[in-house]
Amino acid sequence: MRIFDPHIHMTSRTTDDYQAMYDAGVRAVVEPSFWLGQPRTSPASFFDYFDSLLGWEPFRAAQYGIAHHCTIALNPKEANDPRCRPVLDALPRYLEKDNVVAVGEIGYDSMTPEEDTALAAQLQLAADHGLPALVHTPHRDKLAGLHRTVHAVHASALAPERVLLDHLNETTVRAAADSGCWLGFSIYPDTKMDEDRMVAILEDHGTERVLVNSAADWGRSDPLKTRKTADAMLAAGFTHDDVDRVLWRNPVAFYGQSGRLRLDVPPPEALHEGNSILRGGE
Amino acid sequence: MATLTREDLDTRLDGAARAWFHEALAEAARAAAHAPRHPAGPRTVPAWETRFASAGRHCGREHADSVRTHLLHEARADAATLTRLYRQGTAAERRAVLLALHHLAPDPADGLPLVEDALRTNDTRLVAAAVGPYAARHLPPHPWRHAVLKCLFTGVPVDAADGIERRAQGDTELARMLTDYAAERTAAGRPVPADLHRVLALTSPTEES
């Protein structure tokens, strides 16, 4: 089974996770830039983070045979902080980088006017740079947030088929599907979606334009939720082809719109001293 | 990976990539001919620098080092440009800057900080590119010895360290560091990297002829 996790924050995960993901069939990930748990206070902190997503993290992933791409953006939560907003001015040069396959995560957190401005500006940047956009839907007031998000997408220069609406659930899937955007579901241990509810949505909606991700990060989350969802699909009677569509072909099709996906990562090399992340001397 | 000549690239790139490469070279040449050389503001990225960033997806990952290096040459990138492109670059772009240092020959006061930055990383692609001929020529003895040791630690073949035969010759301090490292490995019950013995042999002073 080949798995593409289209949304996972590997910066927060260990090498054990990379190994377990590889063993479970994960061969490609997209790491969206997002909030780090601790608010940042200057654009320079973002630039170091973006550089890590374009340097160290793909190097780490490659040692486990996993292709790593990223999405770059000013996230909605920190778009509210005037100290962070100059990040928007630096995005054009990041959006030209080879490994950037979308603008994201953008969207709404508290649905403020500042978030409206950042979302509109970054949807335009996606259109300008030939990139799709990964749009996070808010945790609080989710359905209203979904409607406001869809309105912003339709008002933008970006076609809906170049937009992935993420963190959907039973209450938002219908309106999201009607919007023409791609549909992302994050499978979590406690919050967001779980495997069985995901299977129920797939039974109702079908597999078209559906992506499943672990959204694993620094919080309680599980980088193997993609595989667990695949197993739950098979147990519920979906075919291996259905699983391959949701967990490989759909994310490839969505992010492939960037023209920048490179999935031919060589298998992990013989590990140096059996310890693949080289610490430069311990 | 050796840098390919322009002629080799013309042979290996397909039609679309070759055309893209030639347009990029022309933009770089225009940038070299016309001031101002540095962007007026954060939203203004010179055309050839955008090409520099996107070379991988247009010419293929296997040719990206070569294409980017030729763009730097054609733009006659000065120390300020090299520093900016390195600092703003992905790991792949930083590699290209490091590989171009030898031919573009910025003052060591400007070029060495980039080499030293790369040598502080644990990214073997950057470490290997940092120990090229520019480092062989300009890196002072102490950081150069640490660069050799870093290659051994991180599994970068020491052949990547340009001029190692010349610089290692008669370097008794390097010999001591290598011997200590071998002893540490042996004490831990771990194998000594085969390259270590090769470098150690190079540290012998030349015999008088």
Side-chain angles (χ1 to χ4, degrees):
Chain A
M1 185 185 297
R2 54 180 184 172
I3 294 172
F4 186 138
D5 192 334
H7 181 154
I8 183 165
H9 301 282
M10 291 311 300
T11 301
S12 305
R13 310 303 306 192
T14 65
T15 51
D16 282 358
D17 288 336
Y18 269 124
Q19 186 64 57
M21 288 162 65
Y22 184 86
D23 293 344
V26 177
R27 295 292 180 272
V29 297
V30 166
E31 176 157 7
S33 61
F34 200 57
W35 188 52
L36 287 175
Q38 174 71 34
R40 283 165 282 208
T41 58
S42 77
S45 301
F46 283 82
F47 303 151
D48 289 337
Y49 172 62
F50 295 160
D51 289 345
S52 179
L53 298 183
L54 292 161
W56 180 238
E57 206 54 47
F59 177 75
R60 249 168 42 106
Q63 292 185 53
Y64 291 87
I66 295 176
H68 181 289
H69 295 83
C70 68
T71 79
I72 295 284
L74 174 61
N75 65 78
K77 190 190 291 273
E78 289 174 294
N80 290 303
D81 187 333
R83 294 173 299 180
C84 300
R85 275 200 294 275
V87 169
L88 288 172
D89 294 329
L91 289 179
R93 70 177 165 84
Y94 279 103
L95 298 181
E96 286 300 321
K97 305 298 190 189
D98 276 333
N99 272 19
V100 176
V101 292
V103 172
E105 294 177 56
I106 52 178
Y108 286 112
D109 180 56
S110 298
M111 290 186 268
T112 63
E114 289 79 6
E115 292 172 25
D116 284 327
T117 304
L119 174 58
Q122 293 183 99
L123 288 169
Q124 183 63 47
L125 280 174
D128 292 346
H129 290 267
L131 289 171
L134 171 60
V135 183
H136 150 116
T137 56
H139 306 299
R140 303 176 304 277
D141 201 8
K142 199 171 195 68
L143 184 57
L146 188 276
H147 289 307
R148 189 150 157 183
T149 302
V150 168
H151 179 78
V153 168
H154 285 159
S156 79
L158 205 59
E161 62 266 24
R162 293 178 74 82
V163 173
L164 168 57
L165 299 175
D166 210 349
H167 312 319
L168 300 176
N169 61 23
E170 293 86 349
T171 66
T172 53
V173 60
R174 184 55 50 208
D178 290 345
S179 74
C181 298
W182 292 69
L183 314 174
F185 296 87
S186 302
I187 315 301
Y188 257 38
D190 297 325
T191 58
K192 299 190 171 76
M193 291 290 292
D194 67 31
E195 298 93 307
D196 294 332
R197 289 164 52 209
M198 187 66 232
V199 166
I201 284 183
L202 284 164
E203 284 170 339
D204 181 47
H205 172 84
T207 58
E208 190 184 346
R209 287 186 288 134
V210 171
L211 285 74
V212 166
N213 61 69
S214 73
D217 58 8
W218 33 259
R220 181 159 154 72
S221 50
D222 177 357
L224 303 184
K225 281 296 189 191
T226 47
R227 174 59 191 255
K228 290 170 183 171
T229 302
D231 291 341
M233 285 177 70
L234 292 173
F238 282 96
T239 65
H240 283 278
D241 188 68
D242 293 328
V243 169
D244 190 67
R245 182 176 193 188
V246 172
L247 286 154
W248 186 267
R249 299 200 305 272
N250 281 352
V252 169
F254 176 72
Y255 288 117
Q257 295 181 94
S258 68
R260 305 185 197 179
L261 266 190
R262 302 176 313 186
L263 298 171
D264 54 338
V265 166
E269 293 170 26
L271 302 182
H272 178 68
E273 301 169 15
N275 176 4
S276 30
I277 290 302
L278 314 171
R279 297 193 173 280
E282 61 266 71
Chain B
M1 191 180 345
T3 304
L4 298 172
T5 65
R6 286 190 197 181
E7 293 71 26
D8 285 339
L9 278 169
D10 277 345
T11 311
R12 296 190 193 197
L13 295 174
D14 68 23
R18 193 163 54 239
W20 184 94
F21 176 46
H22 286 204
E23 287 164 19
L25 284 171
E27 285 169 356
R30 276 197 292 279
H34 302 292
R37 309 190 53 157
H38 301 294
R43 278 187 182 274
T44 319
V45 181
W48 80 271
E49 292 189 19
T50 301
R51 303 264 189 176
F52 180 78
S54 61
R57 61 183 179 272
H58 291 288
C59 298
R61 186 179 0 190
E62 68 277 24
H63 299 127
D65 279 350
S66 300
V67 167
R68 289 192 172 111
T69 309
H70 286 297
L71 290 180
L72 292 171
H73 288 188
E74 194 69 20
R76 298 205 296 273
D78 60 11
T81 303
L82 291 170
T83 300
R84 182 165 43 78
L85 290 177
Y86 182 92
R87 289 186 179 160
Q88 298 184 350
T90 61
E93 292 165 53
R94 291 178 185 198
R95 241 186 88 82
V97 171
L98 294 166
L99 293 171
L101 287 176
H102 176 56
H103 289 294
L104 292 170
D107 189 285
D110 300 311
L112 279 181
L114 308 183
V115 171
E116 288 163 346
D117 180 89
L119 288 172
R120 282 192 293 271
T121 73
N122 280 5
D123 185 330
T124 50
R125 300 166 300 175
L126 292 173
V127 172
V131 292
Y134 188 83
R137 182 164 176 199
H138 296 295
L139 207 56
H142 180 77
W144 184 79
R145 292 181 192 120
H146 272 272
V148 172
L149 220 54
K150 182 124 189 189
C151 287
L152 293 170
F153 265 93
T154 57
V156 171
V158 289
D159 290 334
D162 194 85
I164 192 163
E165 292 86 355
R166 178 179 57 77
R167 287 206 61 164
Q169 195 177 80
D171 188 339
T172 53
E173 176 64 1
L174 179 62
R176 181 199 63 74
M177 291 164 75
L178 294 170
T179 307
D180 283 357
Y181 178 39
E184 189 184 340
R185 298 283 306 173
T186 305
R190 292 175 178 153
V192 175
D195 269 4
L196 186 147
H197 298 296
R198 282 187 48 219
V199 185
L200 193 55
L202 293 173
T203 60
S204 308
T206 339
E207 290 178 19
E208 297 290 331
S209 56

